[in-house]
Amino acid sequence: APGLLVAMTAAPIGAIVGEWIGSTKGLARLIIQANHDLKSDEMIAALLLLCLQAYAMFWATRWLINRLGWWFQPDPFNNQAQ
């Protein structure tokens, strides 16, 4: 289960790299264009959106594991389970 949490958090990074290489739309393209046009506010907003997306994916995955993954060992991030 911890591997799944790491993968779900790292997945947006892979998507951004993929968009960076060969896309004309998306957050990566917005970051590149904002960097080129010196619009730091747009670039920071896109990066914050990416961070929020990764954070939400982490917590959604953790919630699903706790609810549906009854066969997993206790969550190592939950200190109250001990």
Side-chain angles (χ1 to χ4, degrees), residues 5 57-66 75 77-78:
L5 291 172
M57 288 175 70
F58 172 83
W59 284 104
T61 304
R62 185 174 173 191
W63 182 82
L64 281 173
I65 288 172
N66 287 338
D75 186 359
F77 298 106
N78 187 1

Side-chain angles (χ1 to χ4, degrees), residues 27 44-54:
L27 279 178
I44 291 172
L47 288 172
L48 285 175
L49 187 60
L50 176 64
C51 291
L52 287 174
Q53 178 185 6

Side-chain angles (χ1 to χ4, degrees), residues 22-71:
S23 179
T24 58
K25 295 182 179 180
L27 279 178
R29 187 65 183 159
L30 180 65
I31 292 170
I32 291 171
Q33 194 64 39
N35 189 22
H36 181 265
D37 295 340
L38 299 175
K39 295 181 179 178
S40 59
D41 55 341
E42 286 184 16
M43 189 170 58
I44 291 172
L47 288 172
L48 285 175
L49 187 60
L50 176 64
C51 291
L52 287 174
Q53 178 185 6
Y55 187 73
M57 288 175 70
F58 172 83
W59 284 104
T61 304
R62 185 174 173 191
W63 182 82
L64 281 173
I65 288 172
N66 287 338
R67 296 293 180 257
L68 303 175
W70 51 268
W71 60 89

